[in-house]
Amino acid sequence: MKQAFFITATDTGVGKTIVTSVLGVLAQEHGLRVGVMKPVQCGGDDAQFLKKVLRADDDIKRINPYFVKDPLSPHLVLSRAKIKFDIKKVKKEFSYLKEKYDVVFVEGAGGFLVPITDNYFMADLVKDLDLKVIVVSRLGLGTINHTLLTIEQIRQKGLHLTGVIFNETKKEAKGIPEKTNPFSIQQLSGVSILGQIPFLKKLNRRHIQEKCSGPIDIKRILKSFPIKKTVELVDDDKKYVWHPFTQMKDWTNGQPLIIDKAEGSFLIDSDGNSYLDGVSSLWVNVHGHNHPRMNRGIIEQLNKLDHSTLLGLANSPSIELAKKLVKIAPKGLEKVFYSDNGSTSVEIAIKMAYQYWQNIGCTKKRKLVHLANSYHGDTLGSVSVGGIDLFHKVYRDLIIETVKVNFPDCYRAPKGKKYPDYAFECLDKFETILKREYQDIAAFIVEPIVQGAAGMIIWPKGILKRIETLCRKYDIIFIVDEVATGFGRTGKMFACEHEKVHPDILCLAKGLTGGVLPLAATLTTKKIFDGFIFDYETQKTFFHGHTFTGNPICCAAALANLEIFGKEKTLKSLHPKIKFLQKELQKFYDIKCVGDVRQKGFMVGIELVKNRSTKEAFDWKEKAGIKVCEKARERGVILRPLGNVIVLMPPLSISREELKILCDVTYWAIKEVLEV
Ligand SMILES: *Cc1c(COP(=O)(O)O)cnc(C)c1O
């Protein structure tokens, strides 16, 4: 496997050249062919030295394409010397070296954000050459700040950070900072510490080997042997864990990524590499990972009451949360029934609606209506009201009969029909059925405005309102499943607000706890609630409940989530980011195989097609979506597709800069995989 690393440092004079020499020599001793490069050098003889110590037979102009004598910032000296920097030249030499060697170490000049020209930084070069970054730090007071700032920048740019190496620049006694720096930096940043190079009296190969092969584990750095912990975890995962929605045959043949930590918009794997969480850990995370206020809320509750049941008892977080949910939910929803995931919130909604009619004596009203291509979860009840063939076909005999309303996918209308008119036409057709059968129909369930799992299908304006009107007109319970769209995802707290609709039942989960703990809620009106208020002997109780219903820790997380919405004005600061995202998404149409780009707030679907003019889809066996997401992972972005639709659904707290990375990497990945 070919490898290329960039060696940068927290400052000049920290010892990049020493570290590059050490890594190079150790890798050679490990039996690898090692190339070296110093693209820009201002003063000194680093490149000559590297060439010598690593016994490289390459021309010095190849190792060091840009050399100026003055020890100043590259952007200054290059312009003073009237030398025009051209990244293409660097790329050409680098490609040659990468072809020739097993591993190439590229040494920077100065720190990570050193300008090479007025608008091109060392960081851009790292990105353009697609290098993994190793940061060299010194020990001692002040280094924590410098190192963390460098790490922060590398992560913000979405680059692959291998870890930090400490270099002892002087021979001296170690005080408290020197002894604790590496541990502190690892604790605070989650980055791997790759070792500590002792002060080297001489810089020859023998001395390097003698002094450094112990403290520096070159095999681990090169990942020709990933670190032991990862190897063991991967083995045990394959041995013991059955993953959801996963063909385990492929999984067992693959190399699973093990997530060990998370911070803000980033997930960090067991080797210390960070990845941008492009789909909010499956559509749930709201305020970023490891948010201090979320953590505090959970820990405080944990220290008070871990769990107590709602069957026969009450607890304070579930009471406080119910009150707050009623306050922010669409008007009319006054009662909260808890469960622990989106599917159960839907089961509860269905059973509630069904039993309501039974309880009040309209016993004929038993049928459930849903859109043909909807998704409401994976338990049998919620599968009954779903229609994604790939997920649901096998279970068809196990589920209840329903009424399916045909509905277009907003990109493809049947021949001769025009979108969005056709969407309204579908509902008109449904009304003719309703006229005939409304006395048999109990409820209509929808995902409002955005049908997530169906491929991020976005409704034209007015559809949601029209469905509400139909439900009112024909006395049908209107169930809105906001498991995915709730908590800001579409730009408003709830998608219902876009068209001012007032459901009879509302399902919430995913973002309810900020995406941190499993909790769901089914909200309903006083009218439906009253349909269950009878004498005990009538047996009209709502016979439903899960063991962990209303768990106090989960409710505390949900309270912290709502508190952050208020304190950080999450929705207000979201709007400019939605606009920015909208602008960034336009460029995807430059790619031929992008057929449609859909966005509602922070829910995005990019549909890949074989032929844009005919809208011909990629065969699912081609795995176009999966391949693009795998490619994005190489550049440190985690995505998960829905068939041929690439989904972007970042945490609401994502920064503009990170959002740009998300779009850039996705764009690049689609081009890499599908454009020949
Ligand atoms: C994810 C989802 C569900 C199911 O939620 P789980 O917590 O996975 O059971 C239900 N409805 C919608 C709209 C969803 O997106």
Side-chain angles (χ1 to χ4, degrees), residues 283 341-344 346 375-378 447 481 483-484 509-510:
W283 312 3
N341 63 75
S343 308
T344 52
V346 170
Y375 176 82
H376 295 288
D378 296 328
E447 300 158 81
D481 173 358
V483 170
K510 290 196 167 99

Side-chain angles (χ1 to χ4, degrees), residues 143-358:
T143 202
I144 294 182
N145 172 57
H146 285 146
T147 310
L148 293 184
L149 285 174
T150 304
I151 290 169
E152 179 83 13
Q153 270 304 314
I154 295 167
R155 282 187 174 151
Q156 283 205 0
K157 298 258 182 300
L159 298 166
H160 226 283
L161 177 58
T162 301
V164 177
I165 289 188
F166 288 88
N167 182 44
E168 290 179 30
T169 45
K170 302 187 279 265
K171 180 90 198 148
E172 60 177 5
K174 287 192 192 126
I176 293 172
E178 287 79 7
K179 283 185 191 149
T180 56
N181 284 159
F183 182 70
S184 300
I185 286 168
Q186 173 161 30
Q187 285 283 300
L188 294 168
S189 69
V191 155
S192 301
I193 303 302
L194 305 173
Q196 199 165 317
I197 295 178
F199 176 71
L200 299 170
K201 272 193 298 229
K202 291 171 284 183
L203 270 174
N204 63 42
R205 294 180 67 94
R206 240 191 58 213
H207 194 62
I208 287 175
Q209 234 176 294
E210 242 168 60
K211 293 281 177 196
C212 301
S213 52
I216 302 291
D217 185 352
I218 191 72
K219 286 189 251 174
R220 181 187 150 196
I221 295 173
L222 295 171
K223 297 264 189 66
S224 37
F225 302 88
I227 62 176
K228 192 157 158 258
K229 184 176 102 186
T230 305
V231 175
E232 284 169 6
L233 285 169
V234 165
D235 283 352
D236 284 349
D237 178 85
K238 290 179 177 177
K239 203 161 153 194
Y240 299 113
V241 183
W242 189 345
H243 287 260
F245 278 100
T246 302
Q247 177 44 261
M248 291 305 289
K249 185 176 170 190
D250 294 343
W251 182 270
T252 317
N253 291 331
Q255 188 60 23
L257 195 61
I258 292 168
I259 300 303
D260 204 28
K261 296 190 186 98
E263 185 69 48
S265 308
F266 288 91
L267 300 166
I268 299 158
D269 75 8
S270 50
D271 291 335
N273 304 305
S274 32
Y275 301 84
L276 190 60
D277 188 357
V279 287
S280 299
S281 292
L282 224 69
W283 312 3
V284 297
N285 190 281
V286 180
H287 306 294
H289 294 275
N290 224 341
H291 191 292
R293 198 177 285 273
M294 288 294 318
N295 291 7
R296 204 183 323 133
I298 293 166
I299 291 166
E300 277 173 11
Q301 181 54 45
L302 177 64
N303 286 326
K304 228 185 310 183
L305 168 66
D306 46 6
H307 178 66
S308 152
T309 179
L310 286 200
L311 280 73
L313 293 171
N315 69 58
S316 104
S318 65
I319 298 167
E320 204 185 322
L321 177 61
K323 191 171 171 186
K324 292 220 159 104
L325 287 175
V326 165
K327 204 162 162 194
I328 60 167
K331 259 212 181 69
L333 298 167
E334 294 177 16
K335 303 284 175 184
V336 178
F337 195 100
Y338 290 112
S339 61
D340 38 43
N341 63 75
S343 308
T344 52
S345 78
V346 170
E347 296 281 338
I348 289 161
I350 294 171
K351 284 172 76 174
M352 220 176 238
Y354 179 88
Q355 193 180 342
Y356 168 80
W357 294 117
Q358 301 303 306

Side-chain angles (χ1 to χ4, degrees), residues 334-481:
E334 294 177 16
K335 303 284 175 184
V336 178
F337 195 100
Y338 290 112
S339 61
D340 38 43
N341 63 75
S343 308
T344 52
S345 78
V346 170
E347 296 281 338
I348 289 161
I350 294 171
K351 284 172 76 174
M352 220 176 238
Y354 179 88
Q355 193 180 342
Y356 168 80
W357 294 117
Q358 301 303 306
N359 277 2
I360 67 162
C362 300
T363 48
K364 270 184 69 192
K365 268 181 150 349
R366 305 164 87 108
K367 282 189 190 162
L368 300 168
V369 182
H370 62 92
L371 299 184
N373 56 355
S374 57
Y375 176 82
H376 295 288
D378 296 328
T379 54
L380 287 176
S382 53
V383 167
S384 300
V385 290
I388 315 270
D389 252 13
L390 178 66
F391 305 165
H392 298 159
K393 209 161 56 186
V394 235
Y395 311 112
R396 209 159 272 158
D397 286 346
L398 289 180
I399 61 182
I400 48 176
E401 194 75 47
T402 57
V403 178
K404 295 166 193 65
V405 179
N406 271 323
F407 199 71
D409 81 352
C410 83
Y411 177 49
R412 294 182 181 84
K415 220 179 157 109
K417 302 286 183 187
K418 234 181 73 207
Y419 195 79
D421 302 352
Y422 179 64
F424 289 94
E425 218 178 282
C426 288
L427 291 180
D428 291 342
K429 230 186 240 158
F430 173 55
E431 190 171 2
T432 59
I433 302 173
L434 267 182
K435 276 186 184 142
R436 226 172 36 232
E437 296 186 26
Y438 75 96
Q439 281 150 325
D440 301 334
I441 291 174
F444 192 167
I445 181 166
V446 295
E447 300 158 81
I449 302 181
V450 185
Q451 288 178 256
M456 294 293 145
I457 293 172
I458 298 172
W459 293 353
K461 208 163 167 231
I463 286 287
L464 182 62
K465 195 76 197 170
R466 173 102 172 93
I467 294 175
E468 183 192 40
T469 311
L470 286 175
C471 288
R472 297 289 166 251
K473 188 169 167 192
Y474 295 97
D475 205 13
I476 291 167
I477 293 176
F478 179 34
I479 305 173
V480 170
D481 173 358

Side-chain angles (χ1 to χ4, degrees), residues 552-625:
I553 300 171
C554 298
C555 290
L559 285 166
N561 172 35
L562 295 180
E563 193 187 334
I564 298 169
F565 265 104
K567 286 236 157 70
E568 295 186 359
K569 302 198 167 43
T570 306
L571 291 172
K572 200 169 157 223
S573 55
L574 187 60
H575 288 140
K577 288 191 276 186
I578 291 173
K579 286 238 170 69
F580 176 74
L581 178 60
Q582 192 179 0
K583 260 211 331 265
E584 288 291 307
L585 287 172
Q586 287 317 304
K587 71 168 181 236
F588 281 86
Y589 283 115
D590 300 347
I591 312 177
K592 271 207 321 272
C593 63
V594 168
D596 194 26
V597 182
R598 321 187 256 275
Q599 180 200 11
K600 184 79 189 175
F602 257 25
M603 298 178 88
V604 174
I606 300 166
E607 181 155 350
L608 309 171
V609 288
K610 205 159 192 160
N611 183 324
R612 191 190 275 171
S613 50
T614 62
K615 301 188 180 179
E616 185 196 345
F618 282 105
D619 190 284
W620 63 274
K621 287 186 200 118
E622 286 181 58
K623 295 188 177 172

